């Protein structure tokens, strides 16, 4: 057995310990991401070998939680992937607002799925709110954001971020929607009030829209930089859930590194390539 095969086998043993001893499932994660994360945890715990780390996990329950936290990578920032947000601002939102007014539909529904600490739904809310106030006041906004970490949702609801999180934001947006105190910036209350934050795991078997939304029919769903952490069958499960929650012709936003994953799903059409924006077909 070569080193690569040995590593994979040992990680299977770690997954077994996590499941049987701590009731924690890590089997859904992509193999290379799992190996990378375990290697990082080995360094953090001064484990000299994968066998040492396996033994460490067996006798330290706290390490099982640290491993799970490391796998739940939640790094984000405002207006991440600038090209995607530019196209959203200049093409997608104008199209949706215009169609809503023509049909007298009256409401735009947005879901940020896997919202981390709130940077992405707030970015969406800022752009949509600006467009509404500038030319489409008759159209209402309903924005829902979900995540599986109550700690991160608490941060999102407070809306306070380090200056590094807003580095992609235009100065006009910062001056209009943030107040700062030293290195930290607080999102304005009128934007915070637009978003309903709630706990939801996208891998739950119940599969559907956020309960707070009552039903799906979203015009836009953002699920960015989450899919590539999972195995292909889990990616398909998440994409099916998102697809079913969108209106016909609705838009899905992902991370730039996930374009190929969505294309392979074959139920979305890419919009304005190379941006990570897709239309439900």
């Amino acid at each position: 057995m070569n080193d690569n095969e040995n590593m994979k086998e040992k990680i299977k043993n770690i997954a077994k310990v996590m499941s049987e001893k701590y009731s924690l499932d890590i089997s859904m994660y992509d193999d290379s991401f799992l190996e990378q994360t375990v290697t990082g945890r080995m360094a953090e715990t001064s484990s000299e070998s994968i066998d040492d780390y396996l033994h460490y996990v067996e006798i330290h329950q706290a390490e099982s939680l640290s491993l799970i936290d490391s796998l739940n990578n939640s790094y984000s920032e405002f207006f991440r992937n600038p090209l995607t947000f530019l196209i959203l601002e200049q093409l997608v939102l104008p199209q949706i607002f215009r169609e809503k007014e023509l049909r007298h539909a009256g409401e735009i529904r947005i879901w940020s799925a896997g919202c981390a600490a709130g940077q992405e739904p707030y970015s969406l809310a800022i752009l949509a709110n600006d467009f509404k106030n500038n030319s489409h006041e008759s159209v209402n906004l309903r924005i829902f954001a979900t995540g599986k970490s109550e700690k991160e949702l608490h941060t999102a609801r407070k809306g306070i971020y380090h200056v590094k999180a807003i580095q992609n934001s235009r100065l006009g947006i910062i001056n209009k929607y943030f107040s700062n105190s030293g290195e930290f910036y607080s999102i304005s209350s009128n934007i915070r009030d637009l978003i309903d934050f709630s706990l939801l795991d996208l891998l739950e078997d119940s599969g559907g829209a956020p309960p707070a939304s009552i039903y799906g029919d979203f015009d836009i769903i953002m699920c960015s930089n989450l899919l590539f952490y999972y195995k292909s069958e889990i990616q398909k499960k998440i994409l099916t859930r998102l697809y079913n929650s969108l209106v016909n012709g609705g838009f899905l936003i992902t991370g730039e590194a996930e374009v190929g994953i969505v294309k392979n799903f074959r139920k979305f059409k890419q919009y304005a390539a190379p941006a990570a924006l897709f239309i439900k077909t």
Side-chain angles (χ1 to χ4, degrees), residues 116 147-157 197-200:
K148 63 179 184 178
S149 166
E150 190 57 63
K151 180 181 178 181
E152 289 198 320
L153 290 172
H154 178 69
T155 299
R157 294 184 187 107
F197 288 99
S198 61
L199 200 64
L200 185 145

Side-chain angles (χ1 to χ4, degrees), residues 45-59:
T45 57
S46 302
S47 300
E48 295 184 0
S49 68
I50 186 68
D51 287 306
D52 287 345
Y53 183 70
L54 172 59
H55 180 64
Y56 193 89
V57 172
E58 286 181 314
I59 62 175

Side-chain angles (χ1 to χ4, degrees), residues 6 25 38 40 42 46-47 53 85-86 116 133 144 233 241 268:
N6 181 59
D25 185 9
V38 167
M42 285 173 60
S46 302
S47 300
Y53 183 70
F85 276 101
L86 179 66
N133 290 342
F144 303 88
E233 61 268 25
R241 182 172 193 167
F268 291 98

